[in-house]
């Protein structure tokens, strides 16, 4: 991780109020794909890691039995809570947590994450995926900045000073090593995609 958790949290606290207004087309397409692939049943519990202002958590709350959002930024979660209240959603909750310490030990059927894991180093991503697998979800849906080929250093989609994307291969190997099989790989951009991993 190129910055500390506290530095990332402070940065996102500052961005929270305008965060939803500044999303790229690729981000929005990833949101749609993560929602489509997560596709929870009405009795499923979904854990959304790096939930931000709630794009995924709130999008799944009408379908799932329960949604737990975890983030490091109180400012972002305050926005998510406000939107949940506006929509009258009472089966979604938000609290402090991170990939390697999600601060949740209940049952989980599906884990989702969108545009958050790329802040971790490759080794930290492996550790995070191991922690996620330890929660026992049948499915993990990850939308993120990821490299499908060699990234063009002249045209990075990401911000090198704060982001540390992995190749699709690194992510695939991490899931495979934890007993999951990739059942879908969606390329949104040569540096952005959605992976679906299901328990073997």
């Amino acid at each position: 991780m190129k910055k500390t958790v506290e530095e990332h949290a402070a940065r996102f606290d500052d961005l929270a109020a305008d965060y939803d207004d500044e999303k790229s087309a690729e981000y929005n397409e990833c949101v749609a794909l993560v929602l489509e692939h997560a596709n929870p049943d009405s009795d499923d519990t979904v854990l959304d890691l790096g939930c931000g202002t709630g794009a995924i958590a709130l999008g799944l709350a009408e379908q799932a039995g329960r949604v737990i959002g975890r983030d490091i930024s109180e400012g972002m979660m305050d926005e998510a809570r406000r939107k949940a209240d506006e929509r009258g959603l009472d089966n979604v909750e938000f609290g402090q947590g991170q990939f390697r310490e999600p601060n949740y030990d209940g049952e989980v059927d599906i884990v989702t994450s969108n545009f958050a894991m790329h802040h971790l180093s490759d080794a930290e991503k492996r550790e995070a995926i191991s922690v996620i697998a330890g929660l026992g979800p049948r499915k993990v849906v990850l939308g993120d900045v990821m490299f499908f080929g060699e990234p063009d250093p002249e045209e990075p989609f990401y911000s090198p000073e704060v982001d540390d994307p992995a190749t699709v291969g690194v992510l695939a190997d991490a899931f495979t090593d934890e007993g999951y099989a990739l059942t879908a790989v969606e390329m949104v951009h040569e540096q952005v995609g959605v992976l679906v991993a299901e328990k073997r």
Side-chain angles (χ1 to χ4, degrees), residues 169-185:
V170 164
L171 295 168
D173 286 348
F175 281 113
T176 301
D177 288 348
E178 296 297 335
Y180 286 77
L182 288 190
T183 56
V185 178

Side-chain angles (χ1 to χ4, degrees), residues 60-86:
L60 295 175
E62 292 181 13
Q63 208 177 336
R66 182 177 179 219
V67 181
I68 297 103
R70 290 289 183 261
D71 205 279
I72 59 173
S73 166
E74 277 299 333
M76 299 284 269
M77 288 187 290
D78 284 345
E79 288 293 309
R81 292 180 188 110
R82 180 184 59 75
K83 291 191 285 187
D85 288 343
E86 283 178 359

Side-chain angles (χ1 to χ4, degrees), residues 46-159:
V46 180
L47 175 64
D48 184 36
L49 294 171
C51 64
T53 59
I56 303 300
L58 299 175
L60 295 175
E62 292 181 13
Q63 208 177 336
R66 182 177 179 219
V67 181
I68 297 103
R70 290 289 183 261
D71 205 279
I72 59 173
S73 166
E74 277 299 333
M76 299 284 269
M77 288 187 290
D78 284 345
E79 288 293 309
R81 292 180 188 110
R82 180 184 59 75
K83 291 191 285 187
D85 288 343
E86 283 178 359
R87 300 180 196 183
L89 297 169
D90 59 5
N91 64 330
V92 58
E93 63 186 77
F94 298 97
Q96 281 282 336
Q98 49 190 291
F99 285 106
R100 291 169 295 158
E101 296 176 23
N103 192 26
Y104 179 76
D105 59 5
E107 289 189 11
V108 181
D109 300 292
I110 300 168
V111 172
T112 57
S113 183
N114 194 53
F115 271 62
M117 195 180 280
H118 63 269
H119 296 297
L120 304 180
S121 70
D122 285 3
E124 290 167 334
K125 288 183 188 75
R126 271 195 169 275
E127 188 182 338
I129 289 168
S130 179
V131 169
I132 289 167
L135 295 171
R138 70 171 184 271
K139 184 194 302 184
V140 181
V141 185
L142 174 66
D144 210 346
V145 185
M146 59 184 73
F147 300 138
F148 284 83
E150 286 298 316
D152 181 351
E154 301 301 314
E155 294 187 31
F157 182 86
Y158 61 101
S159 301

Side-chain angles (χ1 to χ4, degrees), residues 21-36:
D21 301 327
E22 299 176 357
K23 303 324 297 172
S24 65
E26 290 84 357
Y27 173 91
N28 291 327
E29 189 171 344
C30 273
V31 168
L33 285 167
V34 171
L35 294 174
E36 176 186 332

Side-chain angles (χ1 to χ4, degrees), residues 178-198:
E178 296 297 335
Y180 286 77
L182 288 190
T183 56
V185 178
E186 303 257 17
M187 186 173 80
V188 171
H189 173 283
E190 60 187 10
Q191 297 180 40
V192 178
V194 173
L195 303 182
V196 182
E198 299 191 56

